[in-house]
Amino acid sequence: MTRRPEPYSAIVMAILALAFCAWALSTLPLQGAAILVVASVLGWSGWITFSYTRPVRSRKVIAVYLCAVGFQLIHMAEEYTGGFPHEIVELFDSPRDWPEKEFLLVFVFGFGALYFFAGAGALYRIRVANFFLWWYALGAGLLNGIAHFVFPIIKGGYFPGLYTAAGHLIMSALLITFLVQEHRRLKAEV
């Protein structure tokens, strides 16, 4: 019988996710913040459901995750060169500005580093690291990829991030598939 894992990391990550959501909702354009809030809820839910009790062991899952994160950096380069922060503010006529410096520091450099640290943590089966595997898979990958196909429809033309959005969907689908397979494999071993 599997011992129940400690509850503290789930509580801490829920509090951190709520704090991040509060920051996003109070500072970013609301449409962008809404995507981040949904991503946080989906990521935490996926983590609790599939990887909290049994953190990922498979190097294949971690390798796909790290490739997806590398692809995320390529996607964010397209967003940055296309002026994504300005474009999303304009697309939704947001009263809040989104400075490019903030976009780079928080979402490219900050999250980029956090994603890679999480990959290293997942190699050592650190429970909290698995949260970020799910946050990427369901939020930064899947939800973000879908949003980048919706934005050009709303705008009526190209929107920064469109060209690399399909890659997000492919990498996310692959990662989600491997994460669920890993969960089933680890569960069957018990």
Side-chain angles (χ1 to χ4, degrees):
M1 185 170 162
T2 305
R3 277 187 32 215
R4 180 175 222 156
E6 50 72 32
Y8 307 110
S9 55
I11 294 167
V12 168
M13 287 312 298
I15 292 168
L16 290 174
L18 286 171
F20 172 72
C21 291
W23 170 81
L25 288 168
S26 64
T27 62
L28 301 177
L30 290 178
Q31 293 78 6
I35 291 170
L36 295 170
V37 169
V38 173
S40 296
V41 171
L42 290 174
W44 194 86
S45 300
W47 174 52
I48 292 298
T49 303
F50 293 101
S51 302
Y52 184 72
T53 304
R54 296 171 197 87
V56 168
R57 285 188 197 165
S58 169
R59 291 184 185 270
K60 176 175 80 172
V61 174
I62 297 167
V64 168
Y65 165 74
L66 290 173
C67 288
V69 170
F71 190 84
Q72 169 79 1
L73 295 174
I74 294 167
H75 171 72
M76 295 187 98
E78 180 193 354
E79 287 182 331
Y80 176 72
T81 57
F84 175 80
H86 170 73
E87 290 288 325
I88 199 163
V89 167
E90 192 174 283
L91 180 66
F92 294 107
D93 196 26
S94 176
R96 296 182 187 164
D97 190 27
W98 194 354
E100 285 183 0
K101 183 178 179 181
E102 181 181 296
F103 175 77
L104 281 173
L105 290 174
V106 174
F107 293 95
V108 177
F109 300 125
F111 270 99
L114 190 59
Y115 287 150
F116 282 109
F117 291 145
L123 284 171
Y124 292 95
R125 300 192 70 217
I126 296 172
R127 193 175 313 281
V128 169
N130 283 249
F131 167 81
F132 292 99
L133 273 68
W134 283 101
W135 201 91
Y136 173 83
L138 297 172
L142 184 68
L143 188 61
N144 187 34
I146 292 168
H148 277 288
F149 285 108
V150 173
F151 294 155
I153 293 168
I154 296 169
K155 182 178 179 179
Y158 171 77
F159 195 85
L162 173 63
Y163 298 143
T164 51
H168 269 308
L169 294 176
I170 292 166
M171 295 302 293
S172 295
L174 189 59
L175 181 56
I176 292 164
T177 300
F178 287 167
L179 283 165
V180 171
Q181 287 173 351
E182 173 79 350
H183 166 73
R184 290 179 181 151
R185 185 183 66 78
L186 292 173
K187 190 174 180 181
E189 287 179 4
V190 174

